[in-house]
Every structure is written in structure tokens, then in C-alpha cells.
């Protein structure tokens, strides 16, 4: 089988690594990929939003399966275009990817189908949003409707902050057209958990749970980022919580999408808050999380391609999911200054230390191959993942391995998985 993966971050590196282990896979291409992916796949210099070039490449190359890793091409309809060109593709079509592409859509869906989530209102102009805030209870959460690299959410503690937030999103358009509509929602407190699932339109099967660390700095300070590190499983995601989520969230979401004529096939990533009133949905994503994929996929024992094909063919009910009885921790090595302003182009040393080290993974996010070697090429540079028999061992292993690589302006959080100590 020939596989084409669309994307070029740590998540796509983890997907490529899982694909490489699958028995029927002969060759992997990745567009655009990165330096690490290039060691196990052939990178093709086509951007994830260049749909015509991607479909032409897939046709010419005889690709048997396309896997779309990133949100933008999914929301933009790449799956529909590939299918129209007769190419089998894993991921939701445009009318289903809206589950992630529009927060206003997903909130309305949850309200209509009584799926537990924070109470909210949607707004399409700043005047109405500002008027609503006069009567709101603080803190409130402002969310740009569209995709904003995980940065379009503002938690506002006062009326003043919220007014400024409405201006930032709707008037100054800091997140572009994503801010044409705004969701204002109730602030929830509790533990956050990410649960990634495969969906075939009818059946939903969850993978093991994970927890992300979205803020840039230790102690959950600083700005929201794409994610600075993850651990899996989450000790707070108990059997009882799982049972409630299955009944009130997972299957109802998949059924709701089907009832709306938006059959969802692909990955649904449930971002959950475990509140005092039970688990509630923070957000949906229509793809693997990054860096959730970097801790979940290495623990998966199934043949990933087989699972993806079962999703496409609507026979996911025939597959039993199997995960290693261990734990994994991923620490992101970033460029100092991320997510605002950072420099690129620094040589990365020590990458060869990972060779032959079982249970250790160095997933590339923002890296580039140059004549001098592999250099930094983004805000998030590498995802260092290690497994262990339990979370504490995995965490110690992951932090040890962060010392193996060096580059100028290397930055990481030192408290990934700190919550484990509270268990
Ligand atoms: P989202 O992109 O919707 O997951 O939001 C990014 C982050 O903002 C989440 O991971 C939470 O930490 C936080 N957040 C989002 N919505 C809420 C909410 N209603 N209450 C509290 N925190 C929230
Ligand atoms: N790590 C969060 C996300 O992928 O959206």
C-alpha cells in the first residue's frame, strides 16, 4: 500500500511512525512533512492547503490511502476533493469537519442534542456581544468561532477584560475571519482530559485518555499554545467517568452528526472538562491532537491502517482496540518565545541519541533538513516521548531524554505531568 499523510508536525510524525509499523504499508509519502518524517517517509514539497496539487500527486503516484492529519485542510474540504478524484481518504468530509471548524455550530449541536457542555450564546456582531456582557457573570470565556491554532480562546475575569477581548476577536480580527462570529460561554472549572476516538459514521471507539498542557509556562501560566506536553493515560479519567462519557457524550455526538446529515468518519477528539456536575465538552476537534497523538499512538497495539480502513468502510464495530498496559509522557521542546515571537534556523545536536532506544521517541514538529544538518524551523521543535511502566517512570524517562538534544533557544516546561503527583 502507498500512503500519503497530509501535514508536517509532531502529530504527523507520530502518524507516519504508526503507519510504518503496519503490515500492508510499502511506502509512505508526507506533504509537506519535516526533517524527522523524512527519515521514514518521502517528503513532498506540497502545502497542506494546495488541494489541486495534492490530488494530482495522489493520482499520479497511485496512492491507496490518504490520511489528513491537520485541521485546516479537513475544514477546507480536502477529503471531499480526494474522494471526488477517486482516492480513498481517512478523515471527515467538509460538512462533518465543521464540528471543529465552527464552535458556534458545535455549541448549537450540543444544545439541540442535550450533550453536556458550558452554557453559551453565539454572536455575529460586536454590539450584541458587548450588550450581553453587561449582564454576564465573570469569568466568561470568549471563543473565536473558526480555527485559530488553539489560540482563539480568551478567559476574561472582568467586564473590562471581556470588552477588550470582543474588540480583539471581532473588531481587530486578530484571528482573521475566525472572529466573524463569537461564542461567549460560561467558565467551567475542573480537570481537563483529551479523549481521541475513531469513528465510522455510526460506531465510535475511544483510544486511551491523555492530558495536554496548553499554557506556555510552568504552573499553567503564560499564553495558550498548541500544547507543551502530554501524558497518557489520565489517572483522573476513571472507568466511571468513561461510562458517563460514553452514554452522554461520545455516542450522542456521533448520532447527532448522522441525524444532521453530516455523517462523521475519522477522528473525533473530545476535549472534556471533568466538572463537579460531571464531564462536559470543552471542544471537539476533527483530528488527532498534537501532542496527544505523540503519547496515544505509541501505546496503540492495533494496526492503525486497518482501523482507518474499517472507519472508511463502516465496520469499526468489528475491531477490538488494544493498548499497551503502560504510560507515556511527551515533553515539547520549543523555541524560546513561542507562541509569540521566536527565532529559527539553529542546528539541533544529539538527535542520533534516540537511535535504538526502545520506548523513546523524538517526534519532529518544526524542523528542517539543511546542508549543515537538521535545524529548528518552528515554535514547537520536537516532541520528546518516553514510555514507562507507570506515569512517574514515563515522566522521568521523558525528561531524561530531553537532555539528549540541544539547540540554541531551547525551551520547555518542567512540570509536564505534575498532576500525576496528586493521585
Ligand atoms: P478550546 O480550544 O475550546 O479547547 O479552549 C482552549 C482552552 O481554554 C481549553 O483547553 C481550556 O483550558 C480553556 N477553556 C475553554 N473553554 C473553557 C470553559 N468554558 N471554561 C474554562 N476553561 C475553558
Ligand atoms: N493539543 C491540542 C490540540 O491538538 O488541539
Amino acid at each position: 500500500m502507498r500512503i500519503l499523510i497530509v501535514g508536517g508536525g509532531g502529530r504527523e510524525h507520530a502518524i507516519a511512525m504508526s503507519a510504518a509499523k503496519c503490515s500492508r504499508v510499502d511506502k509512505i509519502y508526507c506533504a509537506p512533512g519535516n526533517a524527522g518524517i523524512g527519515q521514514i517517509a518521502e517528503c513532498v514539497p506540497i502545502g497542506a492547503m494546495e488541494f489541486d496539487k495534492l490530488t494530482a500527486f495522489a493520482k499520479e503516484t497511485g496512492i491507496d490511502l490518504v490520511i489528513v492529519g491537520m485541521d485546516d485542510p479537513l475544514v477546507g474540504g480536502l477529503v471531499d476533493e480526494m474522494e471526488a478524484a477517486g482516492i480513498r481518504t481517512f478523515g471527515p468530509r467538509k460538512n462533518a469537519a465543521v464540528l471543529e471548524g465552527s464552535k458556534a455550530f458545535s455549541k448549537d449541536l450540543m444544545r439541540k442534542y442535550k450533550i453536556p457542555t458550558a452554557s453559551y450564546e453565539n454572536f455575529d456582531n460586536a454590539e450584541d456581544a458587548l450588550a450581553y456582557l453587561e449582564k454576564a457573570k465573570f469569568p466568561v470565556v470568549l471563543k473565536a468561532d473558526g480555527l485559530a491554532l488553539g489560540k482563539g480562546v480568551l478567559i476574561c475575569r472582568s467586564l473590562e477584560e471581556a470588552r477588550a477581548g470582543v474588540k480583539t476577536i471581532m473588531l481587530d480580527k486578530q484571528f482573521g475571519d475566525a472572529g466573524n462570529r463569537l461564542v461567549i460561554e460560561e467558565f467551567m472549572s475542573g480537570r481537563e482530559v483529551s479523549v481521541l476516538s475513531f469513528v465510522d459514521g455510526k460506531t465510535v471507539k475511544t483510544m486511551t485518555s491523555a492530558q495536554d498542557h496548553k499554557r506556555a509556562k510552568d504552573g499553567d501560566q503564560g499564553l495558550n499554545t498548541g500544547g507543551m506536553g502530554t501524558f497518557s493515560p489520565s489517572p483522573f479519567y476513571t472507568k466511571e467517568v468513561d461510562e458517563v462519557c460514553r452514554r452522554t457524550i461520545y455516542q450522542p455526538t456521533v448520532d447527532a452528526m448522522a441525524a444532521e446529515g453530516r455523517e462523521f468518519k475519522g477522528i473525533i477528539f473530545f476535549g472534556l472538562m471533568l466538572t463537579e456536575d460531571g464531564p462536559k465538552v470543552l471542544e471537539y476537534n476533527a483530528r488527532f491532537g498534537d501532542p496527544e497523538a505523540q503519547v496515544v499512538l505509541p501505546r496503540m497495539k492495533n494496526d492503525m491502517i486497518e482501523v482507518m480502513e474499517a472507519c472508511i468502510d463502516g465496520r469499526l464495530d468489528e475491531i477490538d482496540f488494544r493498548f499497551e498496559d503502560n504510560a507515556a509522557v511527551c515533553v515539547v521542546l520549543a523555541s524560546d518565545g513561542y507562541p509569540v515571537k521566536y527565532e529559527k534556523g539553529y542546528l539541533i545536536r544529539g538527535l542520533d541519541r534516540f537511535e535504538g532506544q526502545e520506548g523513546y521517541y523524538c517526534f519532529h514538529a518544526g524542523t528542517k533538513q539543511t546542508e549543515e544538518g537538521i535545524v529548528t524551523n518552528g515554535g514547537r521543535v520536537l516532541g520528546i516521548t518516553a514510555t514507562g511502566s507507570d506515569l512517574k517512570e514515563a515522566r522521568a524517562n521523558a525528561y531524561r531524554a530531553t537532555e539528549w538534544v540541544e539547540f540554541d533557544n531551547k525551551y520547555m516546561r518542567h512540570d509536564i505531568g505534575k498532576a500525576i503527583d496528586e493521585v
Side-chain angles (χ1 to χ4, degrees):
M1 264 180 107
R2 292 170 169 222
I3 309 283
L4 170 64
I5 299 168
V6 178
R11 164 184 49 214
E12 286 74 27
H13 194 177
I15 294 171
M17 189 202 71
S18 287
K21 288 194 298 197
C22 298
S23 54
R24 287 182 301 136
V25 172
D26 304 306
K27 171 99 188 171
I28 306 171
Y29 297 89
C30 188
N34 61 35
I37 296 172
Q39 290 164 355
I40 50 173
E42 185 174 329
C43 294
V44 191
I46 306 178
M49 294 307 284
E50 296 184 282
F51 291 4
D52 290 346
K53 286 189 189 166
L54 287 170
T55 40
F57 174 81
K59 266 176 128 166
E60 283 158 20
T61 319
I63 297 294
D64 300 295
L65 177 68
V66 176
I67 302 168
V68 186
M70 291 173 72
D71 44 2
D72 293 284
L74 287 169
V75 170
L78 179 57
V79 174
D80 307 58
E81 299 224 1
M82 284 289 178
E83 286 181 349
I87 298 154
R88 251 163 104 72
T89 305
F90 177 77
R93 294 184 185 143
K94 186 174 183 173
N95 75 347
V98 67
L99 189 63
E100 168 166 9
S102 167
K103 292 193 192 284
F105 168 86
S106 73
K107 295 298 290 189
D108 287 346
L109 186 87
M110 288 186 265
R111 180 180 278 166
K112 181 168 172 190
Y113 292 90
K114 302 193 167 52
I115 296 164
T117 188
S119 59
Y120 75 101
E121 288 301 328
N122 294 336
F123 297 93
D124 55 20
N125 71 76
E127 240 168 61
D128 292 350
L130 290 168
Y132 174 87
L133 286 174
E134 296 293 328
K135 290 170 280 163
K137 240 177 59 198
F138 291 87
V140 291
V141 183
L142 307 188
K143 297 186 172 184
D145 176 51
L147 297 179
L149 296 169
K151 294 164 197 161
V153 173
L154 304 176
I155 294 170
C156 304
R157 315 241 154 232
S158 66
L159 178 59
E160 210 166 49
E161 262 182 53
R163 279 185 183 141
V166 170
K167 182 168 178 295
T168 304
I169 294 175
M170 297 197 93
L171 301 175
D172 301 344
K173 291 279 163 75
Q174 191 170 322
F175 310 105
D177 286 345
N180 289 348
R181 296 177 83 192
L182 178 76
V183 178
I184 301 186
E185 78 175 25
E186 163 206 9
F187 177 81
M188 301 189 283
S189 35
R191 291 255 175 224
E192 282 188 56
V193 185
S194 302
V195 176
L196 278 54
S197 68
F198 282 91
V199 182
D200 74 352
K202 319 178 282 286
T203 301
V204 46
K205 294 225 167 159
T206 53
M207 293 179 253
T208 173
S209 60
Q211 185 177 323
D212 191 10
H213 299 65
K214 288 218 167 88
R215 301 295 198 97
K217 300 200 169 133
D218 282 12
D220 290 327
Q221 302 295 308
L223 293 172
N224 261 325
T225 68
M228 294 299 293
T230 40
F231 59 85
S232 170
S234 162
F236 308 103
Y237 190 78
T238 59
K239 260 211 157 84
E240 293 71 39
V241 174
D242 181 63
E243 207 148 276
V244 176
C245 292
R246 274 172 207 289
R247 199 175 64 241
T248 63
I249 296 174
Y250 306 150
Q251 194 64 50
T253 300
V254 173
D255 293 345
M257 290 298 280
E260 293 291 309
R262 297 172 183 274
E263 183 185 61
F264 194 105
K265 291 186 177 194
I267 304 285
I268 300 183
F269 163 150
F270 297 91
L272 305 174
M273 184 76 96
L274 308 182
T275 75
E276 277 185 353
D277 304 326
K280 294 187 183 183
V281 177
L282 272 171
E283 65 160 347
Y284 293 115
N285 294 313
R287 48 158 178 94
F288 285 103
D290 188 346
E292 281 86 347
Q294 290 90 311
V295 285
V296 168
L297 285 174
R299 300 187 55 225
M300 186 168 176
K301 292 209 248 182
N302 296 72
D303 182 308
M304 182 190 70
I305 297 296
E306 221 168 70
V307 177
M308 289 180 169
E309 295 214 283
C311 288
I312 296 171
D313 298 334
R315 39 177 190 78
L316 188 59
D317 57 333
E318 295 168 11
I319 307 250
D320 279 326
F321 275 23
R322 290 169 293 115
F323 282 85
E324 302 281 357
D325 183 21
N326 63 1
V329 170
C330 173
V331 179
V332 169
L333 301 185
S335 303
D336 197 10
Y338 171 73
V340 182
K341 194 165 171 273
Y342 48 84
E343 291 166 33
K344 304 192 252 190
Y346 295 114
L347 190 68
I348 307 172
R349 295 171 298 271
L351 290 168
D352 51 356
R353 280 292 304 271
F354 286 85
E355 277 163 28
Q357 297 279 1
E358 203 169 320
Y360 291 86
Y361 307 84
C362 178
F363 294 114
H364 290 225
T367 67
K368 194 167 85 177
Q369 183 75 54
T370 66
E371 275 175 20
E372 296 97 82
I374 295 176
V375 301
T376 64
N377 192 40
R380 292 191 290 180
V381 177
L382 300 169
I384 306 298
T385 295
T387 55
S389 58
D390 61 15
L391 284 162
K392 285 186 179 162
E393 190 183 289
R395 181 177 58 185
N397 291 344
Y399 271 107
R400 182 172 332 108
T402 62
E403 303 296 326
W404 298 349
V405 268
E406 286 304 332
F407 54 87
D408 286 359
N409 290 357
K410 171 178 155 188
Y411 173 82
M412 67 180 140
R413 274 183 63 164
H414 289 90
D415 62 348
I416 301 302
K418 188 159 184 283
I420 299 163
D421 300 325
E422 296 165 33
V423 184

